[in-house]
Amino acid sequence: MTDPLLSVKNLRIELNTRDGVAPVIDDFSFDLFPGEAISFVGESGCGKSMTALGIMGLLPEGVGKIASGSINFAGEDLSSAEQKRMRNIRGNEISMIFQEPMTSLNPVYTIGEQIAEVLRAHQGLSKQASWTKAIELLDAVRIPNPQARISDYPFQMSGGQRQRVMIAIALACEPKILIADEPTTALDVTVQAQIFDLLNDLRKQTGTAIILITHDMGAVAEMAERMIVMYAGRKVEEGPVQQVIDNAGHPYTQGLISCVPHILEKLTAKRQMLQEVPGIVPSLRDFGKDQCLFASRCQYVSEKCNNTRPTENKFSSSQTVACWLTESIQ
Amino acid sequence: MALLYAIATRIMYAGILLLAVIILNFGMMHLAPGDVADSISQSMGGADEEVLNEIRATYGLDRPFIVQLGSYIGKVLRFDLGYSFFYTQPVSQLILQKLPATLLLVLTAQFLALIVGVFLGVYSAQRPNGLSSHFVSFFALFGYSAPVFWSGLLLLIGFSLHIQWFPVAGMRDVTIEGNFLEEAIDIIRHMVLPVITLASIFLALYSRLSRATMMEVLGSDYIRTAKSKGLTDREIIYKHALKNSLSPVITLAGLQFSAVVSGAILVESVFSWPGLGTLAFESIIARDTPTILGILFFSALVVIVGNLLTDLTLRLVDPRVRTNG
């Protein structure tokens, strides 16, 4: 097996809150292999975006910091890298696109300038060359008539087009990793499908590894090969997408899957009653406690869940689950 | 093309506004008790009703309001603002004499305050809880709340009386005459204290406003995007953030144009600066109505031109303004 491109080990990210320091990411580890697409899944507030910002070195200054653990990228620990080195990596070797295409582009510069700028910063292209390349990139993300649109301002474009521009910016320097933080949440369904198509095609062409952050199981099935289910800053389940969807080990994963609406009209074996996961994600105050943080919402909760944090167990050959229940199954 | 169209519309609006100001001005003059015939007869040492009527007929004061208004508008458009009996010269000539001194003072103070204020605001927005940021806030508040005549006098006492670095009053030293450079240096020496005094008010406004907008902009999504591109801090702040935070500051600066007269009155009085402010002050004391009205008209003109310039500058900074007409 090849070496992982990105290897996160025992990552702990702490956030200063009014109630003191809270570990928003607690002992979190995963590997990303070259060209692979993985997905972080979980509700809002589970630390998916924080992990991404931690990798990018963009944790909110003075509020969040990496307390321990390592982020190994191509033989280099990013958690202790200098700002200057991180600037070279950002937008060049690791890129990111965001949830809000409407506000993620600078309103007072043309999209051409915003694409060309990243090429100038990392590849040292001239103004002319970067502009030409920007037109090519705009064409690559399938914006019609790129020659004319390049001089448009963001407010002259739709949400889907803006997200395409963001993708063009992110992929301009052919990064090794693209982190897509809920890239389609703010778009309509038809546009969502187009964006996923585009990302899949570009991935085939460039071989960029993708980390897709989402709470949409449909998006996961569409885009990723492997998924990591996160809850309250911890990994609760990891495995190949189809395998996890067919046979989820953690009660939380099961809950997430049963929340996906179906398009079938009648209730059948295939279309079961929609089920919600009761309750909400615990407050930051409870993060980091030595217990299963899902316990208060779990229908299978036992004494042990409230006293000890579950360990990661092999659920099947390639699937791991952090739940006391699965340990007893084995 | 769009730019020409925008300029044309703005100028048309400005013209309408100016006309309204003229009418209002004339109405005020008309409503005030007594008329020009009274003041002329006063200067002659009194006159009976017959002579007064004769004067009124000569100057057209017996004609209906609307006709008088029409001829007044015609005169103002030819920049004939009447005659000041107090200064014994035409008002427009009087204003044009005093204008350069005021423009020099106010524009220099504005420019200085804008540059320094925006820089301080941007600087303190980066570390909003840092010591230097608090210092800037305190300094700005102090500059804003200290009355102009007080801070002006303190500066005079400090830097003209005790440490004799700068002249006490006026705009130039009559003993210095000769080449251009010497005169220029002399004027600059006279300008330092009044400019600092006047700039301190503007500075407070600009630094507070640009600090606030800058902080808001720095928290926005496109700044996060700029960071994720791997740009340097300088590019992020001075390219991506600054241009977005400028609009409110430019708008405010445009509004401050009215200070050409209002703000300058106090500063010019303290430093005996021979400008419009001093003229306004003196003519009010002397109840010299034509001059007061002339200055009123003129300051309206300045504000309107200022707003026109503001609108056009905003178009340069923010592309979204360009499409909205």
Side-chain angles (χ1 to χ4, degrees):
Chain A
M1 207 164 185
T2 49
D3 286 337
L5 180 62
L6 181 76
S7 180
V8 171
K9 292 240 175 331
N10 310 105
L11 184 68
R12 181 182 171 93
I13 296 177
E14 289 179 349
L15 217 56
N16 291 325
T17 67
R18 252 174 300 171
D19 301 322
V21 176
V24 275
I25 297 296
D26 192 2
D27 199 15
F28 182 66
S29 304
F30 73 94
D31 287 336
L32 175 70
F33 293 92
E36 192 189 22
I38 65 170
S39 182
F40 293 165
V41 190
E43 283 163 284
S44 308
C46 284
K48 296 166 295 174
S49 298
M50 275 298 159
T51 311
L53 293 176
I55 295 168
M56 295 286 285
L58 288 177
L59 289 169
E61 223 170 298
V63 179
K65 66 165 202 295
I66 296 174
S68 62
S70 66
I71 300 168
N72 198 301
F73 171 68
E76 195 177 349
D77 186 4
L78 300 188
S79 67
S80 58
E82 279 179 30
Q83 273 303 315
K84 196 165 171 233
R85 175 71 189 129
M86 286 311 294
R87 270 206 301 277
N88 283 332
I89 291 174
R90 282 200 286 268
N92 190 20
E93 298 187 65
I94 306 179
S95 288
M96 190 161 173
I97 56 176
F98 301 95
Q99 186 176 352
E100 305 88 1
M102 300 308 280
T103 51
S104 289
L105 290 167
N106 195 328
V108 301
Y109 288 104
T110 61
I111 56 164
E113 169 57 22
Q114 295 186 57
I115 301 173
E117 176 182 56
V118 72
L119 290 162
R120 292 202 302 271
H122 294 299
Q123 302 194 334
L125 293 186
S126 69
K127 248 197 149 86
Q128 187 67 47
S130 62
W131 194 261
T132 315
K133 180 88 189 285
I135 296 175
E136 284 168 28
L137 282 162
L138 216 50
D139 191 41
V141 294
R142 296 178 206 152
I143 288 188
N145 198 5
Q147 231 108 20
R149 299 309 301 271
I150 193 95
S151 313
D152 277 359
Y153 287 92
F155 71 91
Q156 291 164 305
M157 304 194 121
S158 69
Q161 284 173 326
R162 290 187 209 190
Q163 195 61 293
R164 285 168 194 269
V165 172
M166 283 298 294
I167 293 171
I169 293 171
L171 295 181
C173 298
E174 297 177 2
K176 297 196 178 76
I177 302 174
L178 172 68
I179 302 175
D181 188 357
E182 310 220 18
T184 59
T185 308
L187 305 172
D188 359 339
V189 255
T190 48
V191 182
Q192 283 185 16
Q194 291 167 11
I195 295 287
F196 283 135
D197 270 357
L198 176 68
L199 281 175
N200 268 328
D201 287 355
L202 291 173
R203 185 180 150 219
K204 265 178 225 147
Q205 287 165 29
T206 58
T208 300
I210 292 181
I211 299 176
L212 175 73
I213 296 173
T214 185
H215 53 250
D216 177 359
M217 279 292 178
V220 176
E222 185 84 24
M223 289 288 300
E225 286 122 37
R226 203 148 53 86
M227 67 192 257
I228 293 169
V229 182
M230 293 181 72
Y231 188 78
R234 298 170 181 177
K235 177 163 78 180
V236 295
E237 181 154 8
E238 177 179 353
V241 169
Q242 204 52 53
Q243 201 174 316
V244 173
I245 290 177
D246 290 344
N247 189 14
H250 199 283
Y252 180 60
T253 316
Q254 293 163 6
L256 280 182
I257 292 169
S258 67
C259 282
V260 178
H262 301 263
I263 208 161
L264 299 169
E265 194 189 349
K266 294 235 167 59
L267 289 179
T268 58
K270 256 185 128 178
R271 184 215 190 286
Q272 285 152 6
M273 199 62 175
L274 269 190
Q275 217 128 52
E276 60 162 25
V277 183
I280 51 163
V281 180
S283 84
L284 279 177
R285 230 173 317 164
D286 297 324
F287 276 45
K289 280 186 179 165
D290 188 18
Q291 64 165 91
C292 174
L293 291 173
F294 188 62
S296 61
R297 302 169 73 183
C298 183
Q299 52 179 325
Y300 311 108
V301 62
S302 67
E303 187 67 20
K304 197 175 182 185
C305 302
N306 280 320
N307 296 327
T308 321
R309 176 174 173 172
T311 49
E312 265 184 56
N313 308 306
K314 269 216 162 348
F315 186 62
S316 66
S317 59
S318 50
Q319 202 174 346
T320 59
V321 175
C323 176
W324 291 124
L325 196 68
T326 52
E327 194 193 39
S328 58
I329 288 170
Q330 276 183 326
Chain B
M1 252 354 262
L3 180 67
L4 282 180
Y5 178 75
I7 293 176
T9 358
R10 290 298 194 291
I11 288 180
M12 196 184 76
Y13 286 141
I16 295 172
L17 196 58
L18 206 57
L19 196 66
V21 170
I22 295 173
I23 294 173
L24 208 67
N25 252 354
F26 185 74
M28 267 164 62
M29 199 157 56
H30 209 82
L31 283 177
D35 59 10
V36 182
D38 287 323
S39 44
I40 292 175
S41 67
Q42 243 170 33
S43 65
M44 297 191 313
D48 59 11
E49 196 62 26
E50 200 180 321
V51 180
L52 278 178
N53 283 335
E54 210 172 292
I55 296 174
R56 289 200 178 101
T58 323
Y59 289 94
L61 296 174
D62 52 349
R63 288 181 296 169
F65 175 79
I66 199 80
V67 178
Q68 290 188 45
L69 177 65
S71 81
Y72 178 72
I73 291 173
K75 276 184 180 171
V76 170
L77 290 182
R78 273 176 273 125
F79 212 64
D80 175 2
L81 295 173
Y83 188 83
S84 164
F85 292 98
F86 181 71
Y87 292 98
T88 60
Q89 54 176 312
V91 172
S92 48
Q93 199 184 327
L94 202 57
I95 289 175
L96 287 180
Q97 271 170 16
K98 305 283 186 183
L99 182 65
T102 294
L103 282 186
L104 185 67
L105 175 68
V106 175
L107 291 183
T108 313
Q110 275 272 14
F111 189 70
L112 196 75
L114 202 56
I115 302 281
V116 177
V118 167
F119 180 79
L120 286 180
V122 167
Y123 173 76
S124 61
Q126 291 170 53
R127 300 200 178 281
N129 292 316
L131 192 65
S132 50
S133 171
H134 287 306
F135 182 74
V136 168
S137 297
F138 171 79
F139 177 70
L141 195 65
F142 182 82
Y144 188 64
S145 49
V148 173
F149 51 85
W150 181 77
S151 49
L153 284 175
L154 276 193
L155 282 175
L156 270 181
I157 293 170
F159 295 100
S160 294
L161 209 62
H162 289 295
I163 318 170
Q164 297 183 348
W165 283 355
F166 302 109
V168 179
M171 184 170 151
R172 50 175 78 205
D173 191 334
V174 282
T175 60
I176 294 179
E177 219 175 326
N179 64 40
F180 175 77
L181 191 69
E182 273 178 40
E183 282 188 18
I185 290 173
D186 180 45
I187 292 179
I188 290 172
R189 268 167 47 82
H190 279 86
M191 271 172 70
V192 173
L193 293 183
V195 163
I196 290 176
T197 310
L198 191 55
S200 69
I201 325 169
F202 300 139
L203 183 72
L205 290 174
Y206 298 147
S207 66
R208 289 297 285 243
L209 185 65
S210 56
R211 177 175 183 264
T213 51
M214 194 69 185
M215 278 170 68
E216 193 188 320
V217 167
L218 283 178
S220 62
D221 290 339
Y222 53 82
I223 293 301
R224 188 183 55 187
T225 305
K227 285 181 185 165
S228 78
K229 284 172 165 182
L231 302 180
T232 61
D233 287 352
R234 179 186 299 211
E235 284 172 304
I236 291 168
I237 287 163
Y238 289 101
K239 181 177 176 188
H240 283 270
L242 185 59
K243 202 172 173 190
N244 275 288
S245 68
L246 274 184
S247 293
V249 179
I250 291 172
T251 309
L252 181 70
L255 291 173
Q256 294 296 318
F257 258 93
S258 58
V260 165
V261 176
S262 65
I265 290 181
L266 287 170
V267 176
E268 288 187 2
S269 305
V270 169
F271 293 94
S272 312
W273 188 261
L276 273 188
T278 311
L279 181 69
F281 182 67
E282 285 174 1
S283 59
I284 289 169
I285 299 291
R287 293 175 191 275
D288 183 8
T289 323
T291 310
I292 298 172
L293 284 177
I295 291 172
L296 258 173
F297 165 76
F298 199 79
S299 48
L301 187 70
V302 168
V303 171
I304 288 170
V305 171
N307 278 327
L308 192 68
L309 290 177
T310 312
D311 279 356
L312 295 177
T313 318
L314 279 180
R315 288 171 62 90
L316 284 180
V317 172
D318 192 340
R320 282 165 298 186
V321 181
R322 278 173 227 163
T323 47
N324 299 341

